[in-house]
Amino acid sequence: MRIGYPCINRSIGCTASRTFRLASYTKERIRDTVHRNLTCLEKILAYNVMYGMLFFRITSDLVPFASHPVCTFPWQEEFAGEFEKIGDYIRCYGFRISMHPDQFVLLNAPDKGVLQRSIADLDYQVQVLDLMGLDRSAKVQVHAGGVYGDKQAAIHRFVYQYDLLDEVIRDRLVIENDERSYTLTDCLAIHEQTGIPVIADTFHHSLFNNGEQFLSLLDPVRKTWKSRDGIPMVDYSSQEPGKRAGAHAMHIEAEDFRQFLRETSTADFDIMLEIKDKEKSALAALALARDDPRLVCGKMVDA
């Protein structure tokens, strides 16, 4: 079990998601921005190694406008060495890596333009992981998408479009339940038709479910992951007190997390903390889990 956080480290004074306005696009601007983003990503990973946080979600903005037609800059070739170096570091320290496109990536969109842009974005994110030389356990997670007034038809479109994707994309995709449209049970049904692994989001499940207990779904979710996919990934968060239902917590709630670890003690998975203060909560979670025999942290492995 690895514990980590997504995209942004608030302690090191840089961001790997630096971007700019589309109107400001030039080859020089994107070259400089990608260089800065990759340099910051290296610093984030080094920080995480120092503190034993070996699960990290790389920002989708690592290469700005990479999937946009405006981007004709050959970033793959220009930064091949840097990507390879980062991938070597990731493997050396046993990181688990993921990426997560934004909410506009919709494989079941009826609009062909939205669909084409969605596939282009998935292709970009898969290229990032491939350039790093990461194995199939490095995943790109997506939601099922919209309902569009007919959930069964929307599921059918997802299944149809998934089957048409290039194999290199299918090999990295995983599907996640959300808080208003697709439950874990819906995602398991999509898995039955596609073979796509399922990420269980604990917070989303607490907000939107079919009456099932989360623990009762852990084993079915686990079985959607093949050995080459790595152990399952679980997204964890909780409700921020006093905010609208669905607002992610600002900081980890210690007793809730202890209870989650106790209740899931027989299951192996990597935990992505979707909590707003990022590495601060991840550090707190590591302390709370320090006696958990599943925990992996700070261990160098063969590159």
Side-chain angles (χ1 to χ4, degrees), residues 1-282:
M1 180 177 75
R2 298 168 179 84
I3 293 175
Y5 62 98
C7 303
I8 298 170
N9 181 300
R10 302 187 187 281
S11 301
I12 64 174
C14 71
T15 175
S17 55
R18 182 187 294 268
T19 188
F20 49 86
R21 292 184 304 162
L22 182 60
S24 300
Y25 179 92
T26 64
K27 289 183 179 180
E28 292 72 23
R29 187 74 179 268
I30 193 168
R31 179 186 286 112
D32 177 67
T33 302
V34 175
H35 171 71
R36 292 185 182 208
N37 286 348
L38 291 175
T39 299
C40 185
L41 176 58
E42 291 177 1
K43 292 179 180 178
I44 293 172
L45 293 173
Y47 178 100
N48 290 354
V49 166
M50 185 184 304
Y51 292 101
M53 296 177 285
L54 297 182
F55 189 16
F56 188 66
R57 181 185 297 164
I58 294 174
T59 174
S60 297
D61 293 326
L62 195 64
V63 182
F65 306 110
S67 62
H68 194 284
V70 74
C71 186
T72 58
F73 178 70
W75 57 271
Q76 301 94 329
E77 293 79 13
E78 179 85 9
F79 293 100
E82 286 85 343
F83 279 109
E84 183 178 1
K85 177 185 175 184
I86 291 170
D88 288 344
Y89 191 87
I90 286 167
R91 287 190 300 276
C92 179
Y93 287 98
F95 274 95
R96 184 74 178 279
I97 295 296
S98 66
M99 296 185 75
H100 193 342
D102 66 28
Q103 68 270 26
F104 302 110
V105 171
L106 301 165
L107 279 179
N108 68 353
D111 184 282
K112 289 185 179 179
V114 172
L115 176 62
Q116 290 169 356
R117 290 190 293 274
S118 298
I119 294 172
D121 200 64
L122 293 176
D123 180 62
Y124 146 63
Q125 299 199 30
V126 166
Q127 285 186 68
V128 167
L129 301 176
D130 285 347
L131 285 165
M132 292 178 181
L134 304 182
D135 65 21
R136 185 169 161 169
S137 68
K139 295 298 188 184
V140 177
Q141 69 188 80
V142 295
H143 293 289
V147 173
Y148 305 104
D150 187 337
K151 181 181 281 189
Q152 289 308 308
I155 289 175
H156 176 76
R157 279 196 305 277
F158 183 97
V159 171
Y160 178 77
Q161 294 300 338
Y162 177 86
D163 287 342
L164 293 178
L165 292 173
D166 191 290
E167 184 178 1
V168 297
I169 298 178
R170 293 200 309 272
D171 282 349
R172 293 211 185 268
L173 280 193
V174 290
I175 192 172
E176 171 193 358
N177 58 307
D178 63 67
E179 64 184 78
R180 62 176 63 88
S181 299
Y182 290 90
T183 65
L184 265 176
T185 299
D186 292 329
C187 292
L188 288 167
I190 292 172
H191 161 78
E192 289 300 319
Q193 299 179 65
T194 61
I196 189 171
V198 175
I199 285 184
D201 187 303
T202 63
F203 188 37
H204 290 163
H205 177 76
S206 72
L207 296 166
F208 185 54
N209 57 69
N210 298 311
E212 317 95 329
Q213 293 296 312
F214 181 77
L215 294 179
S216 72
L217 296 175
L218 267 182
D219 192 54
V221 166
R222 176 188 62 80
K223 291 177 179 176
T224 68
W225 293 72
K226 299 181 176 67
S227 59
R228 60 188 175 181
D229 296 313
I231 65 171
M233 298 175 174
V234 168
D235 285 349
Y236 176 89
S237 187
S238 57
Q239 176 67 41
E240 175 67 11
K243 300 290 186 179
R244 63 164 182 83
H248 288 254
M250 182 60 66
H251 187 73
I252 194 168
E253 209 295 316
E255 188 48 46
D256 283 353
F257 190 67
R258 287 194 191 97
Q259 182 177 346
F260 173 72
L261 292 177
R262 287 193 298 267
E263 291 178 345
T264 62
S265 61
T266 60
D268 290 329
F269 46 76
D270 291 328
I271 304 175
M272 177 59 62
L273 297 172
E274 293 189 324
I275 299 177
K276 290 185 178 180
D277 63 359
K278 306 292 183 177
E279 75 280 359
K280 289 184 174 60
S281 280

Side-chain angles (χ1 to χ4, degrees), residues 273-298:
L273 297 172
E274 293 189 324
I275 299 177
K276 290 185 178 180
D277 63 359
K278 306 292 183 177
E279 75 280 359
K280 289 184 174 60
S281 280
L283 289 169
L286 282 173
L288 293 166
R290 63 181 176 270
D291 296 324
D292 193 310
R294 297 171 293 177
L295 186 63
V296 175
C297 61

